[in-house]
Coordinates of all heavy atoms in Angstrom, one line a residue:
L263 N 109.2 71.8 109.4 CA 108.3 72.9 109.8 C 107.3 73.3 108.7 O 106.4 74.0 109.0 CB 109.2 74.2 110.1 CG 110.1 74.1 111.3 CD1 111.1 75.3 111.4 CD2 109.3 73.9 112.6
G264 N 107.6 72.9 107.5 CA 106.7 73.2 106.4 C 106.7 74.7 105.9 O 105.7 75.1 105.4
L265 N 107.8 75.4 106.1 CA 107.9 76.8 105.7 C 108.3 76.8 104.2 O 109.1 76.0 103.7 CB 108.9 77.5 106.5 CG 108.6 77.6 108.0 CD1 109.7 78.2 108.8 CD2 107.3 78.4 108.3
L266 N 107.7 77.8 103.5 CA 108.1 78.0 102.1 C 108.7 79.4 102.0 O 108.1 80.4 102.5 CB 106.8 77.9 101.2 CG 106.9 78.2 99.8 CD1 107.8 77.2 99.1 CD2 105.5 78.3 99.1
Y267 N 109.8 79.5 101.3 CA 110.5 80.8 101.0 C 110.4 81.1 99.6 O 110.7 80.2 98.7 CB 111.9 80.7 101.5 CG 112.1 80.6 103.0 CD1 111.9 79.4 103.6 CD2 112.4 81.7 103.7 CE1 112.1 79.3 105.0 CE2 112.6 81.7 105.1 CZ 112.4 80.4 105.7 OH 112.6 80.4 107.1
I268 N 110.0 82.3 99.2 CA 109.9 82.7 97.8 C 110.6 84.0 97.6 O 110.3 85.0 98.3 CB 108.4 82.8 97.4 CG1 107.7 81.5 97.5 CG2 108.3 83.4 95.9 CD1 106.3 81.5 97.1
S269 N 111.5 84.0 96.6 CA 112.2 85.3 96.3 C 111.4 86.0 95.2 O 110.9 85.4 94.3 CB 113.6 85.1 95.8 OG 113.6 84.3 94.6
D270 N 111.2 87.3 95.4 CA 110.5 88.1 94.4 C 111.5 89.1 93.9 O 111.8 90.1 94.5 CB 109.3 88.8 95.1 CG 108.4 89.6 94.1 OD1 109.0 90.0 93.1 OD2 107.3 89.8 94.4
Y271 N 112.0 88.9 92.7 CA 113.1 89.7 92.2 C 112.5 91.0 91.6 O 113.3 92.0 91.4 CB 113.9 89.0 91.1 CG 113.1 88.5 89.9 CD1 112.8 89.4 88.8 CD2 112.7 87.2 89.8 CE1 112.1 88.9 87.7 CE2 112.0 86.8 88.7 CZ 111.7 87.6 87.7 OH 111.0 87.2 86.6
V272 N 111.2 91.1 91.5 CA 110.6 92.4 91.0 C 110.5 93.4 92.2 O 110.8 94.5 92.1 CB 109.2 92.2 90.4 CG1 108.5 93.5 90.1 CG2 109.4 91.3 89.1
K273 N 110.1 92.8 93.4 CA 109.9 93.6 94.6 C 111.2 93.6 95.4 O 111.3 94.3 96.5 CB 108.8 93.1 95.5 CG 107.4 93.3 94.8 CD 106.3 92.8 95.8 CE 105.0 93.0 95.2 NZ 103.9 92.4 96.1
H274 N 112.2 92.9 95.0 CA 113.5 92.8 95.7 C 113.4 92.4 97.2 O 113.9 93.0 98.1 CB 114.2 94.2 95.6 CG 114.3 94.7 94.2 ND1 115.2 94.1 93.3 CD2 113.6 95.6 93.5 CE1 115.0 94.7 92.1 NE2 114.0 95.6 92.2
E275 N 112.6 91.3 97.4 CA 112.4 90.8 98.7 C 112.2 89.3 98.7 O 112.1 88.7 97.7 CB 111.1 91.4 99.3 CG 109.8 91.0 98.6 CD 108.6 91.7 99.1 OE1 108.7 92.8 99.6 OE2 107.5 91.1 98.9
V276 N 112.3 88.7 99.9 CA 112.1 87.3 100.1 C 111.0 87.2 101.2 O 111.0 87.8 102.2 CB 113.3 86.5 100.6 CG1 113.0 85.1 100.9 CG2 114.4 86.6 99.6
R277 N 110.0 86.4 100.9 CA 108.8 86.2 101.8 C 108.9 84.7 102.3 O 109.2 83.8 101.6 CB 107.5 86.4 101.2 CG 107.2 87.9 101.0 CD 105.8 88.1 100.4 NE 105.6 89.6 100.4 CZ 104.9 90.2 101.3 NH1 104.5 89.6 102.4 NH2 104.8 91.5 101.2
R278 N 108.4 84.6 103.6 CA 108.3 83.2 104.2 C 106.8 83.0 104.4 O 106.1 83.8 104.9 CB 109.0 83.2 105.5 CG 108.9 81.8 106.2 CD 109.7 81.8 107.5 NE 109.1 82.8 108.4 CZ 109.9 83.5 109.2 NH1 111.2 83.4 109.2 NH2 109.3 84.4 110.0
Y279 N 106.4 81.8 104.0 CA 105.0 81.4 104.2 C 104.9 80.2 105.0 O 105.6 79.2 104.8 CB 104.4 81.0 102.8 CG 104.2 82.2 101.9 CD1 105.3 82.6 101.1 CD2 103.1 82.9 101.8 CE1 105.2 83.7 100.2 CE2 102.9 84.0 100.9 CZ 104.0 84.4 100.1 OH 103.9 85.5 99.3
A280 N 104.0 80.2 106.0 CA 103.7 79.1 106.9 C 102.5 78.4 106.3 O 101.8 79.0 105.5 CB 103.5 79.5 108.3
P281 N 102.2 77.1 106.7 CA 101.0 76.5 106.1 C 99.8 77.3 106.4 O 99.6 77.8 107.6 CB 101.0 75.2 106.9 CG 102.5 74.9 107.2 CD 103.1 76.2 107.5
G282 N 99.0 77.6 105.4 CA 97.7 78.3 105.6 C 97.9 79.8 105.5 O 96.9 80.6 105.4
D283 N 99.1 80.3 105.4 CA 99.4 81.7 105.3 C 99.3 82.2 103.9 O 100.1 81.7 103.0 CB 100.8 82.0 105.9 CG 101.2 83.5 105.9 OD1 100.4 84.3 105.5 OD2 102.4 83.7 106.3
M284 N 98.4 83.1 103.6 CA 98.2 83.6 102.2 C 99.0 84.8 101.9 O 99.2 85.2 100.7 CB 96.7 83.8 102.0 CG 95.9 82.6 102.2 SD 96.3 81.2 101.2 CE 95.8 81.6 99.6
E285 N 99.5 85.6 102.9 CA 100.2 86.8 102.7 C 101.7 86.7 102.8 O 102.4 87.3 102.0 CB 99.7 87.9 103.7 CG 98.3 88.2 103.6 CD 97.9 89.0 102.4 OE1 98.7 89.8 101.9 OE2 96.9 88.7 101.8
G286 N 102.2 85.8 103.6 CA 103.6 85.7 103.8 C 104.2 86.8 104.6 O 103.5 87.9 104.9
T287 N 105.4 86.7 105.1 CA 106.1 87.7 105.8 C 107.4 88.0 105.2 O 108.1 87.1 104.8 CB 106.4 87.1 107.3 OG1 105.2 86.8 107.9 CG2 107.1 88.2 108.1
V288 N 107.7 89.3 105.0 CA 109.0 89.6 104.4 C 110.1 89.3 105.4 O 110.0 89.8 106.5 CB 109.0 91.1 104.0 CG1 110.4 91.5 103.5 CG2 108.0 91.5 102.9
V289 N 111.0 88.5 105.0 CA 112.1 88.1 105.9 C 113.5 88.6 105.4 O 114.5 88.5 106.1 CB 112.2 86.6 106.1 CG1 110.9 86.1 106.9 CG2 112.3 85.8 104.8
A290 N 113.5 89.2 104.2 CA 114.8 89.8 103.7 C 114.4 90.8 102.6 O 113.5 90.6 101.8 CB 115.7 88.7 103.1
G291 N 115.1 91.9 102.6 CA 114.8 93.0 101.6 C 113.5 93.7 101.9 O 113.2 93.9 103.1
G292 N 112.8 94.0 100.8 CA 111.5 94.7 101.0 C 111.6 96.2 101.1 O 110.6 96.8 101.5
H293 N 112.8 96.7 100.8 CA 113.0 98.2 100.9 C 113.4 98.8 99.6 O 114.1 99.7 99.5 CB 114.0 98.5 102.0 CG 113.6 98.0 103.4 ND1 112.7 98.7 104.2 CD2 114.0 96.9 104.0 CE1 112.6 98.0 105.3 NE2 113.3 96.9 105.2
G294 N 112.9 98.1 98.5 CA 113.3 98.6 97.2 C 114.7 98.1 96.8 O 115.4 97.5 97.6
A295 N 115.0 98.2 95.5 CA 116.3 97.7 95.1 C 117.5 98.6 95.6 O 117.3 99.8 95.7 CB 116.4 97.8 93.5
G296 N 118.6 98.0 96.0 CA 119.7 98.7 96.5 C 120.7 97.8 97.1 O 120.6 96.6 97.2
G297 N 121.8 98.4 97.5 CA 123.0 97.7 98.1 C 123.2 97.9 99.6 O 124.2 97.4 100.1
A298 N 122.2 98.5 100.3 CA 122.4 98.7 101.7 C 122.1 97.4 102.4 O 121.7 96.4 101.8 CB 121.4 99.8 102.2
W299 N 122.4 97.3 103.7 CA 122.3 96.1 104.5 C 120.9 95.6 104.6 O 120.6 94.4 104.9 CB 122.9 96.3 105.9 CG 124.3 96.7 105.9 CD1 124.8 97.9 106.3 CD2 125.4 95.9 105.4 NE1 126.2 97.9 106.1 CE2 126.6 96.7 105.6 CE3 125.6 94.7 104.8 CZ2 127.9 96.3 105.2 CZ3 126.8 94.2 104.5 CH2 128.0 95.0 104.6
H300 N 119.9 96.4 104.4 CA 118.5 96.1 104.5 C 117.8 95.9 103.2 O 116.6 95.7 103.1 CB 117.7 97.1 105.4 CG 117.6 98.4 104.8 ND1 118.7 99.3 104.7 CD2 116.5 99.1 104.2 CE1 118.3 100.4 104.1 NE2 117.0 100.3 103.8
Q301 N 118.6 95.9 102.1 CA 118.1 95.9 100.7 C 118.7 94.7 100.0 O 119.8 94.2 100.3 CB 118.4 97.1 100.0 CG 117.7 98.4 100.5 CD 118.2 99.6 99.7 OE1 119.3 99.9 99.7 NE2 117.2 100.2 99.1
L302 N 118.0 94.3 98.9 CA 118.4 93.3 97.9 C 118.2 93.9 96.6 O 117.4 94.8 96.4 CB 117.6 92.0 98.1 CG 117.8 91.3 99.4 CD1 116.7 90.2 99.5 CD2 119.2 90.7 99.6
D303 N 118.9 93.4 95.6 CA 118.8 93.8 94.2 C 118.8 92.6 93.3 O 119.8 92.0 93.0 CB 119.9 94.8 93.8 CG 119.5 95.5 92.5 OD1 118.6 95.2 91.8 OD2 120.3 96.5 92.2
F304 N 117.6 92.1 93.0 CA 117.4 90.9 92.1 C 117.8 89.7 92.9 O 118.7 88.9 92.5 CB 118.1 91.0 90.8 CG 117.5 90.2 89.7 CD1 116.5 90.7 88.9 CD2 117.9 88.9 89.5 CE1 115.9 90.0 87.9 CE2 117.4 88.2 88.4 CZ 116.4 88.7 87.7
P305 N 117.1 89.4 94.0 CA 117.4 88.2 94.8 C 116.9 86.9 94.0 O 115.9 86.9 93.4 CB 116.6 88.3 96.0 CG 115.4 89.2 95.6 CD 116.0 90.1 94.6
T306 N 117.8 85.9 94.0 CA 117.5 84.7 93.2 C 117.5 83.5 94.1 O 116.6 83.2 94.9 CB 118.4 84.5 92.0 OG1 119.7 84.6 92.4 CG2 118.1 85.6 91.0
H307 N 118.6 82.7 94.1 CA 118.7 81.5 94.8 C 118.7 81.6 96.3 O 119.3 82.6 96.8 CB 119.9 80.7 94.4 CG 120.0 80.4 92.9 ND1 120.3 81.4 92.0 CD2 119.6 79.3 92.2 CE1 120.3 80.9 90.8 NE2 119.8 79.6 90.9
L308 N 118.0 80.7 97.0 CA 117.9 80.7 98.4 C 118.4 79.4 99.1 O 118.3 78.4 98.5 CB 116.4 80.9 98.8 CG 115.6 82.1 98.2 CD1 114.1 82.0 98.5 CD2 116.2 83.4 98.6
F309 N 118.8 79.6 100.3 CA 119.2 78.4 101.1 C 118.8 78.7 102.6 O 119.1 79.9 103.0 CB 120.7 78.1 101.0 CG 121.1 77.0 101.9 CD1 120.8 75.6 101.6 CD2 121.7 77.3 103.2 CE1 121.2 74.6 102.5 CE2 122.1 76.2 104.0 CZ 121.8 74.9 103.7
V310 N 118.2 77.8 103.3 CA 117.9 78.0 104.7 C 118.6 76.9 105.5 O 118.4 75.7 105.2 CB 116.3 78.0 104.9 CG1 116.0 78.2 106.4 CG2 115.6 79.0 104.0
D311 N 119.3 77.3 106.5 CA 120.0 76.3 107.4 C 119.1 75.9 108.5 O 118.0 76.3 108.7 CB 121.4 76.9 107.8 CG 121.3 78.0 108.8 OD1 120.3 78.3 109.4 OD2 122.4 78.6 109.0
Q312 N 119.7 75.1 109.4 CA 118.9 74.5 110.5 C 118.5 75.5 111.5 O 117.5 75.3 112.3 CB 119.7 73.4 111.2 CG 119.9 72.2 110.3 CD 120.8 71.1 111.0 OE1 121.3 71.3 112.1 NE2 120.9 70.0 110.4
R313 N 119.2 76.6 111.6 CA 118.8 77.7 112.6 C 117.9 78.7 112.0 O 117.6 79.7 112.6 CB 120.1 78.4 113.0 CG 121.0 77.6 113.8 CD 122.3 78.3 114.1 NE 122.8 78.8 112.8 CZ 124.1 78.8 112.5 NH1 125.0 78.5 113.3 NH2 124.5 79.3 111.3
L314 N 117.4 78.4 110.7 CA 116.5 79.3 110.0 C 117.1 80.6 109.5 O 116.5 81.6 109.2 CB 115.2 79.6 110.7 CG 114.3 78.3 111.0 CD1 113.0 78.8 111.8 CD2 114.0 77.5 109.8
S315 N 118.5 80.6 109.4 CA 119.2 81.7 108.8 C 119.0 81.5 107.3 O 119.1 80.4 106.7 CB 120.7 81.7 109.1 OG 120.9 82.0 110.4
L316 N 118.7 82.6 106.6 CA 118.4 82.6 105.2 C 119.6 83.1 104.4 O 120.1 84.2 104.8 CB 117.1 83.5 104.9 CG 116.8 83.8 103.5 CD1 116.4 82.5 102.7 CD2 115.7 84.8 103.4
Y317 N 120.0 82.4 103.4 CA 121.1 82.9 102.5 C 120.5 83.2 101.2 O 119.8 82.4 100.6 CB 122.2 81.8 102.4 CG 122.9 81.5 103.8 CD1 122.3 80.6 104.7 CD2 124.0 82.2 104.1 CE1 122.8 80.4 105.9 CE2 124.6 81.9 105.4 CZ 124.0 81.0 106.3 OH 124.5 80.8 107.5
V318 N 120.8 84.4 100.7 CA 120.2 84.9 99.4 C 121.3 85.3 98.5 O 122.2 86.1 98.8 CB 119.3 86.1 99.7 CG1 118.7 86.6 98.4 CG2 118.3 85.8 100.8
A319 N 121.2 84.7 97.2 CA 122.1 85.2 96.2 C 121.5 86.5 95.7 O 120.4 86.6 95.1 CB 122.1 84.2 95.0
D320 N 122.2 87.6 96.1 CA 121.8 89.0 95.8 C 122.4 89.4 94.4 O 123.5 90.0 94.4 CB 122.2 89.9 96.9 CG 121.7 91.3 96.8 OD1 120.8 91.5 96.0 OD2 122.1 92.2 97.6
T321 N 121.8 88.9 93.4 CA 122.5 88.8 92.0 C 123.0 90.2 91.6 O 124.2 90.2 91.2 CB 121.5 88.3 91.0 OG1 121.0 87.0 91.5 CG2 122.1 88.1 89.7
D322 N 122.3 91.2 91.5 CA 122.8 92.5 90.9 C 123.7 93.2 91.9 O 124.4 94.2 91.4 CB 121.6 93.4 90.5 CG 121.0 92.9 89.2 OD1 121.5 92.0 88.6 OD2 120.0 93.5 88.8
N323 N 123.9 92.8 93.1 CA 124.9 93.3 94.0 C 126.1 92.4 94.1 O 127.1 92.7 94.8 CB 124.3 93.5 95.4 CG 123.5 94.8 95.5 OD1 123.8 95.8 94.9 ND2 122.3 94.7 96.2
N324 N 126.1 91.3 93.3 CA 127.2 90.4 93.2 C 127.7 89.9 94.6 O 128.8 89.9 95.0 CB 128.4 91.0 92.5 CG 128.0 91.4 91.1 OD1 127.7 90.6 90.3 ND2 128.1 92.7 90.8
R325 N 126.7 89.5 95.4 CA 127.0 89.0 96.8 C 126.0 88.0 97.2 O 125.0 87.8 96.7 CB 127.0 90.2 97.7 CG 125.6 90.9 97.9 CD 125.7 92.1 98.7 NE 124.3 92.7 98.9 CZ 124.1 93.8 99.5 NH1 125.1 94.6 99.9 NH2 122.8 94.2 99.6
V326 N 126.4 87.3 98.3 CA 125.5 86.4 99.0 C 125.3 87.0 100.4 O 126.3 87.3 101.1 CB 126.1 85.0 99.1 CG1 125.1 84.1 100.0 CG2 126.3 84.4 97.8
M327 N 124.0 87.2 100.8 CA 123.7 87.8 102.0 C 123.1 86.7 103.0 O 122.4 85.8 102.5 CB 122.6 88.8 101.8 CG 123.0 90.0 101.0 SD 124.1 91.1 101.8 CE 123.0 91.8 103.1
E328 N 123.4 86.8 104.3 CA 122.8 86.0 105.3 C 121.9 86.9 106.1 O 122.2 88.0 106.5 CB 123.9 85.5 106.3 CG 123.2 84.7 107.4 CD 124.2 84.4 108.5 OE1 125.2 85.1 108.7 OE2 124.0 83.4 109.2
W329 N 120.7 86.4 106.3 CA 119.6 87.0 107.1 C 119.3 86.1 108.2 O 118.7 85.0 108.0 CB 118.4 87.4 106.3 CG 118.6 88.4 105.3 CD1 119.4 88.3 104.1 CD2 118.2 89.8 105.3 NE1 119.4 89.4 103.4 CE2 118.7 90.4 104.1 CE3 117.4 90.5 106.1 CZ2 118.4 91.7 103.8 CZ3 117.2 91.8 105.8 CH2 117.7 92.4 104.6
K330 N 119.7 86.4 109.4 CA 119.4 85.5 110.6 C 117.9 85.6 110.8 O 117.3 86.6 110.5 CB 120.2 85.9 111.8 CG 121.7 85.6 111.6 CD 122.5 85.8 112.8 CE 123.9 85.4 112.5 NZ 124.7 85.4 113.7
K331 N 117.4 84.6 111.5 CA 115.9 84.5 111.8 C 115.5 85.8 112.5 O 116.2 86.2 113.5 CB 115.6 83.3 112.7 CG 114.1 83.2 112.9 CD 113.9 81.9 113.7 CE 112.4 81.7 113.9 NZ 111.9 82.0 115.2
D332 N 114.5 86.5 112.1 CA 113.9 87.7 112.6 C 114.8 88.9 112.5 O 114.6 89.9 113.2 CB 113.5 87.5 114.1 CG 112.5 86.4 114.2 OD1 111.6 86.3 113.3 OD2 112.5 85.6 115.2
A333 N 115.9 88.9 111.7 CA 116.8 90.0 111.5 C 116.1 91.1 110.6 O 115.3 90.8 109.8 CB 118.1 89.6 110.9
T334 N 116.5 92.3 110.8 CA 116.0 93.4 110.0 C 117.0 93.8 109.0 O 116.7 94.6 108.0 CB 115.6 94.7 110.8 OG1 116.7 95.1 111.6 CG2 114.4 94.3 111.7
N335 N 118.3 93.4 109.1 CA 119.4 93.6 108.2 C 120.1 92.3 107.9 O 120.1 91.4 108.8 CB 120.4 94.6 108.8 CG 119.8 96.0 108.9 OD1 119.2 96.5 108.0 ND2 120.1 96.6 110.0
G336 N 120.6 92.2 106.7 CA 121.5 91.1 106.4 C 122.9 91.4 106.6 O 123.3 92.5 106.9
R337 N 123.8 90.4 106.3 CA 125.2 90.7 106.3 C 125.8 89.9 105.1 O 125.3 88.8 104.7 CB 125.9 90.3 107.6 CG 126.0 88.8 107.8 CD 126.7 88.5 109.1 NE 126.9 87.1 109.3 CZ 128.0 86.4 109.1 NH1 129.1 87.1 108.8 NH2 128.1 85.1 109.2
V338 N 126.8 90.5 104.5 CA 127.5 89.9 103.3 C 128.4 88.7 103.8 O 129.2 88.8 104.8 CB 128.4 90.9 102.6 CG1 129.1 90.2 101.5 CG2 127.6 92.1 102.1
V339 N 128.2 87.5 103.2 CA 129.0 86.4 103.6 C 129.9 85.9 102.4 O 130.8 85.1 102.6 CB 128.1 85.2 104.1 CG1 127.5 85.5 105.4 CG2 127.1 84.8 103.1
A340 N 129.6 86.5 101.2 CA 130.4 86.2 100.0 C 130.2 87.3 99.0 O 129.1 87.8 98.8 CB 130.1 84.8 99.4
G341 N 131.3 87.7 98.3 CA 131.3 88.7 97.3 C 131.1 90.1 97.8 O 131.6 90.4 98.9
G342 N 130.3 90.9 97.1 CA 130.1 92.2 97.5 C 131.2 93.2 97.1 O 131.2 94.3 97.6
H343 N 132.1 92.8 96.2 CA 133.2 93.7 95.8 C 133.1 94.1 94.4 O 134.1 94.3 93.7 CB 134.5 92.9 96.1 CG 134.7 92.5 97.5 ND1 135.0 93.3 98.5 CD2 134.6 91.2 98.0 CE1 135.1 92.7 99.6 NE2 134.8 91.4 99.4
G344 N 131.8 94.2 93.9 CA 131.6 94.5 92.5 C 131.6 93.3 91.6 O 131.6 92.1 92.1
S345 N 131.4 93.4 90.3 CA 131.2 92.3 89.4 C 132.6 91.6 89.2 O 133.6 92.2 89.3 CB 130.6 92.7 88.1 OG 131.5 93.6 87.4
G346 N 132.5 90.3 88.8 CA 133.7 89.6 88.5 C 133.8 88.3 89.3 O 133.1 88.0 90.1

């Protein structure tokens, strides 16, 4: 598909870019830093599966979040119980 995903740990969001797209679309986070279902706090590593579900290492929340395609909220798939 040629999609590019970029995590922005300063804006606490992940954007998806299609070929020729200069703005990108926020597909995870984008509501400031935090631990709510629609927020991320220092997103780093990304993985996208065949269904275009996005998995984000939400570093400062000590969790991995899954954001299904076109979702407005993520869900915790690993961690989320504090540091450690």
Side-chain angles (χ1 to χ4, degrees):
L263 294 173
L265 299 173
L266 175 66
Y267 292 80
I268 297 179
S269 66
D270 185 334
Y271 60 84
V272 174
K273 292 183 179 178
H274 308 284
E275 67 185 25
V276 177
R277 286 185 174 264
R278 179 180 61 220
Y279 294 84
D283 182 1
M284 302 303 285
E285 297 294 320
T287 302
V288 175
V289 294
H293 301 279
W299 301 115
H300 66 290
Q301 292 178 300
L302 297 169
D303 194 351
F304 206 87
T306 54
H307 300 81
L308 308 175
F309 175 79
V310 181
D311 69 15
Q312 293 177 352
R313 295 175 305 220
L314 298 181
S315 289
L316 170 67
Y317 297 84
V318 182
D320 188 12
T321 304
D322 284 354
N323 284 317
N324 300 298
R325 64 189 184 184
V326 176
M327 298 286 290
E328 175 191 28
W329 294 71
K330 293 188 178 187
K331 185 177 186 256
D332 300 323
T334 57
N335 292 313
R337 73 179 185 103
V338 177
V339 294
H343 303 288
S345 62

